[in-house]
Amino acid sequence: MNAAQSVVGRRRLSQAELDMIVTAHEKFVTGKQGGKRATLRFMQLSGLDLSFRNLVDADLTGSLLEGCRMVRAKLDRASLFGCDLRKSDLRQASLVRADLRGACLRGANLGQADLTQADFREGQIAIPHPRRGLDTLRHEARQGEVDEANFSGATLDGSRFEGVSAFKADFSDCSLKGAKLSGANLKEANLVGAILEGADVMGANLEGANLSGAVLAGVDTSTARVSGASMAGAVGSVTPEAISRARELHERCLSNQRWCQTGGKEGAVARLDGQDLRPLGDKLKGLRLTAMSARGACMVGVDLSGAQLQGANLQNADLRAANLRGADLRGARLAGANLTKADLRQAFLSPLPLGPERQTQTGLQSVRMRYAMVQAADLSGALLDGADLRGSDFTGARVAKASFRDVDLTQVQGLDFSLPG
């Protein structure tokens, strides 16, 4: 895109003019009096600030938004068709089902953005005439482009990237479940730890891409170009053996529950070390699994919401995108576990009382908890030394007397040490 040519035929808005239009749109979205839907087609808005604004269903077709600040903006279902969003700041923005066909996002920052079912494919874009402006339009096919864009920690489930150029783009720790990536250029892209479960990569260029530790369950790479790609430690599809063992492993968990219910008279503590528990899906939800051991187990996406896991041994377990909402993990051992993008909202991770004057702290040493949801969880007295908490949200979490030695807290959201334990 030629920058000099791209500005012609577009009206330049000031920040004040843009603010007035967006305020009217926000009234329109919420049904308030004086509301009017924002129609910002073919505008020159480069460098302006739309952070924290509500632009749900807005029409920004063909506009120039280069270098715009749009942190946490709401752009669900917005039309960004053919927009120039180069080097724009869209961190934590919500772009669910946004139309980004033919848009240029080269070098943009979309870290932790929600781009569920967003469409990045090629688009036919109308170009205003240099002198006659919008009165005379010519049409031009434009490839979707996200080269060198930062999507780290973003949610891109069901997004459409067919034929898109994503050279050297950063998709580390992203959720790309069911994403359509056929024919996309992902050469030298960073997909470390990305969850690509069920993604379509038919004919995609993955040459030199880094897929270390990525979840590739249900991903067929047979027609993709993968020369020089790194797939070290990648998690593949559930094996037939793991599926056949699922019933037996479930029985062990039910036996653990009986052990809890009868005070140890019946059943036994479940030993699940190193097992693939993904086939169990939501069967562990709400179970009493006190003292169970699942060291090094693969539990990606497993639903453990409301489960009783007091004193459980989950060291080095892979719990990425696991649902632990409201789970009781008091006194559990989670050192070295991977909880990236896990849901720990309202979970209990405070010490487990063992009797008068005795308690066991919850061990989260060296845990990987990137982009995890930890809102309103109780981590009072938890040991988080050496943990990687980048991009996690601790809003409303209780952290009194928790230990955070050797932890970078600069990229943690909502951490409040003044909340009572």
Side-chain angles (χ1 to χ4, degrees), residues 47 55 106 135 157 164 176 210 247 305 319 322 349 371 381 416:
L55 282 157
R106 194 185 318 142
D135 294 336
D157 298 341
V164 170
L176 284 148
N210 191 348
R247 181 177 285 184
S305 56
L319 286 150
L349 295 130
Y371 313 112
D416 185 353

Side-chain angles (χ1 to χ4, degrees), residues 26 49 53 184 189 220 273 280 395:
E26 288 172 335
D49 195 341
R53 302 306 299 263
D220 180 2
D273 298 343
L280 295 182
T395 304

Side-chain angles (χ1 to χ4, degrees), residues 64-81:
L64 304 182
L65 296 147
E66 186 178 357
C68 267
R69 187 171 158 80
M70 302 162 86
V71 176
R72 292 205 195 185
K74 289 184 181 176
L75 290 150
D76 299 341
R77 300 179 304 279
S79 176
L80 293 155
F81 189 99

Side-chain angles (χ1 to χ4, degrees), residues 161 163-164 180-187 200-207 220-221 223-226:
F161 278 91
V164 170
K180 305 282 189 288
L181 298 156
S182 57
N185 177 21
L186 292 152
K187 190 174 183 182
D200 179 5
V201 297
M202 193 186 300
N205 182 359
L206 288 160
E207 291 174 354
D220 180 2
T221 59
T223 62
R225 288 150 64 185
V226 294

Side-chain angles (χ1 to χ4, degrees), residues 149-270:
N150 176 18
F151 291 96
S152 58
T155 301
L156 289 146
D157 298 341
S159 55
R160 306 204 64 172
F161 278 91
E162 295 105 311
V164 170
S165 181
F167 173 68
K168 282 191 174 177
D170 184 357
F171 292 99
S172 58
D173 295 316
C174 267
S175 184
L176 284 148
K177 293 177 197 168
K180 305 282 189 288
L181 298 156
S182 57
N185 177 21
L186 292 152
K187 190 174 183 182
E188 294 179 39
N190 178 4
L191 289 144
V192 172
I195 300 171
L196 287 144
E197 195 175 328
D200 179 5
V201 297
M202 193 186 300
N205 182 359
L206 288 160
E207 291 174 354
N210 191 348
L211 291 133
S212 300
V215 177
L216 299 172
V219 178
D220 180 2
T221 59
S222 61
T223 62
R225 288 150 64 185
V226 294
S227 64
S230 170
M231 296 190 190
V235 178
S237 298
V238 175
T239 63
E241 292 78 22
I243 293 168
S244 66
R245 292 204 72 188
R247 181 177 285 184
E248 181 210 329
L249 298 178
H250 187 222
E251 282 298 328
R252 288 192 208 174
C253 294
L254 294 174
S255 177
N256 200 139
Q257 178 157 271
R258 280 198 308 280
W259 180 81
C260 293
Q261 290 167 337
T262 62
K265 290 184 180 130
E266 290 177 35
V269 170

